[in-house]
Amino acid sequence: MNLRQRIRNSDALRESILRLLASKWLNRNGIYRAVYRRQILRRAQTGLLRPESVDIESSSYCNAKCVMCTHPRMTRKKGNMPWEIFEKAVQEAVAWGVPRIYLSGFGEPFIDKTLTRKIRRAKELGAPWVGCLTNGSLLSEKTVDEILASGLDEIAISMDGFSPETFNRIRAGLDFDEVTAGVTRLLTRRGPRPLPKVQIQVVLQPGNIHEKEKAKRLWVGKADQLAFRQIQSWGGSVNSEEPSALFSPNTVENNKLYPCRYLWTQLNIKDNGDVTLCCLDWDAKMVVGNIREQSLQQVWRSPRLEQVRKLHLENRIAEVPLCKNCDFFSVWW
């Protein structure tokens, strides 16, 4: 197990490192800033060759109305990704050597009834790693069997409450008992098989932080990983209250010190083929290309995306509307 994996699997170690990385003392240290700047430039240059992941939005529909999510306010047309767009995206990503493909975006991916077929097809085309993020509400017996037969490498399941009262309030429209039963069904039927890896993701917020230990009791030793995430403001679209000292999203200099790594590591494709600036562009306000008319590589080096990268490297983030008020804690290490 490498250092990065150890950090992810140790709550105490992860908490300590995140506190250190977000501390004003460290980020205002001239030596650290110089070393970190060299790290950014090195990784940015490497990242221009290809992204680390291509995120393909299989569906922009969702069956939940989570209290911290902007999905109910989405104005762009919702839909499931047509097969031809999916096939083109995966073929080009595989040929390009992209190591990771996610078949999820700003919606519940299993609303797309062809999702497990798409997973299987991506593996047939040679995708080295395929994952998805789901709210866990549609893990029926049939769907679980299809997942296990598809070749999916990892499934992340969002659970932001560990009692019916907390879960059903935060994830409005879903049911704690049904989701827990679906996750248990997946873990039981997977048995000793190594794949897919099952990760439980928790967005820490004032309404659920008291159930953090309950989450550990419920899933540690059953799921492969329990990951605590920071709450999002979705590019400043919603007000988010800092839930704990565990996460300090860009409190240092209001996110103006360093560029965001996602401009060099991710390519995000919406269900209609639009490619957006980043994963937090939930309403597709900053479209940098469309893979119906362009290749993934053309979009990756498109003039609009290159201009945003330039602004970030020049510490002119305030000139990018989506980035101006973003509080995501983006670390390049």
Side-chain angles (χ1 to χ4, degrees):
M1 183 183 296
N2 61 33
L3 179 60
R4 187 181 294 273
Q5 290 172 324
R6 289 184 180 183
I7 292 171
R8 287 176 176 172
N9 291 332
S10 170
D11 195 33
L13 186 58
R14 179 179 171 83
E15 179 176 350
S16 298
I17 290 177
L18 282 170
R19 283 177 175 173
L20 176 64
L21 291 175
S23 68
K24 292 183 179 181
W25 172 85
L26 181 66
N27 282 271
R28 289 174 178 169
N29 181 279
I31 296 175
Y32 175 78
R33 289 173 65 142
V35 172
Y36 193 29
R37 186 69 177 177
R38 284 199 295 271
Q39 166 77 352
I40 289 171
L41 295 175
R42 181 183 67 82
R43 287 201 61 196
Q45 186 61 40
T46 302
L48 287 176
L49 298 176
R50 69 177 65 86
E52 295 175 3
S53 70
V54 170
D55 296 10
I56 299 171
E57 186 179 72
S58 53
S59 180
S60 55
Y61 293 111
C62 192
N63 56 350
K65 294 183 178 180
C66 302
V67 297
M68 68 290 186
C69 185
T70 56
H71 194 280
R73 295 162 48 189
M74 196 165 76
T75 61
R76 63 182 170 97
K77 185 178 179 181
K78 302 177 184 68
N80 295 327
M81 178 173 282
W83 189 273
E84 62 272 16
I85 298 180
F86 154 78
E87 181 104 4
K88 180 177 186 291
V90 173
Q91 285 181 346
E92 291 185 6
V94 170
W96 196 8
V98 174
R100 299 167 77 86
I101 293 175
Y102 287 91
L103 292 180
S104 49
F106 198 65
E108 168 48 46
F110 285 99
I111 288 178
D112 176 8
K113 300 301 183 183
T114 68
L115 179 63
T116 51
R117 286 177 50 214
K118 287 175 176 173
I119 296 168
R120 189 166 62 250
R121 180 57 177 159
K123 299 301 291 186
E124 290 172 353
L125 290 170
W129 187 97
V130 179
C132 73
L133 171 66
T134 173
N135 62 31
S137 63
L138 302 176
L139 296 177
S140 65
E141 293 187 10
K142 178 176 182 292
T143 298
V144 165
D145 288 342
E146 290 176 352
I147 290 171
L148 294 174
S150 69
L152 184 68
D153 292 280
E154 182 173 297
I155 181 169
I157 302 161
S158 294
M159 290 192 72
D160 301 320
F162 299 92
S163 67
E165 296 77 19
T166 301
F167 181 94
N168 295 349
R169 180 182 57 79
I170 292 176
R171 293 198 155 256
L174 306 185
D175 181 79
F176 173 75
D177 292 330
E178 289 181 1
V179 172
T180 301
V183 178
T184 302
R185 181 181 298 117
L186 174 61
L187 290 168
T188 301
R189 295 199 178 194
R190 184 192 65 170
R193 282 180 284 190
L195 298 176
K197 291 188 178 301
V198 178
Q199 180 191 80
I200 305 297
Q201 290 193 6
V202 185
V203 177
L204 288 179
Q205 48 198 290
N208 69 2
I209 196 166
H210 65 286
E211 293 190 345
K212 188 177 174 185
E213 293 305 315
K214 187 179 289 188
K216 294 178 183 179
R217 291 195 299 270
L218 185 60
W219 297 116
V220 169
K222 298 177 183 177
D224 297 289
Q225 186 180 18
L226 176 63
F228 295 101
R229 305 296 190 195
Q230 70 185 65
I231 195 168
Q232 296 290 343
S233 70
W234 296 103
S237 299
V238 295
N239 294 323
S240 59
E241 179 183 348
E242 180 66 13
S244 75
L246 177 58
F247 293 107
S248 301
N250 286 331
T251 56
V252 182
E253 306 295 345
N254 194 24
N255 193 24
K256 298 303 188 294
L257 281 177
Y258 306 117
C260 177
R261 63 186 171 90
Y262 286 128
L263 296 173
W264 287 268
T265 60
Q266 281 187 0
L267 201 59
N268 296 272
I269 307 171
K270 301 304 184 189
D271 64 270
N272 65 350
D274 282 343
V275 180
T276 54
L277 189 62
C278 82
C279 57
L280 297 181
D281 190 2
W282 53 278
D283 212 18
K285 297 298 185 184
M286 293 195 68
V287 176
V288 297
N290 188 293
I291 65 165
R292 288 180 183 269
E293 298 87 26
Q294 300 165 281
S295 69
L296 293 181
Q297 295 190 46
Q298 286 173 331
V299 176
W300 186 240
R301 299 304 298 268
S302 66
R304 191 170 192 194
L305 188 50
E306 292 281 71
Q307 175 62 16
V308 175
R309 291 186 180 119
K310 181 174 183 291
L311 291 173
H312 271 243
L313 288 171
E314 294 175 354
N315 286 331
R316 296 161 60 191
I317 297 175
E319 297 179 34
V320 186
L322 183 67
C323 309
K324 181 179 180 180
N325 298 311
C326 181
D327 63 2
F328 188 77
F329 187 38
S330 173
V331 181
W332 282 77
W333 291 115

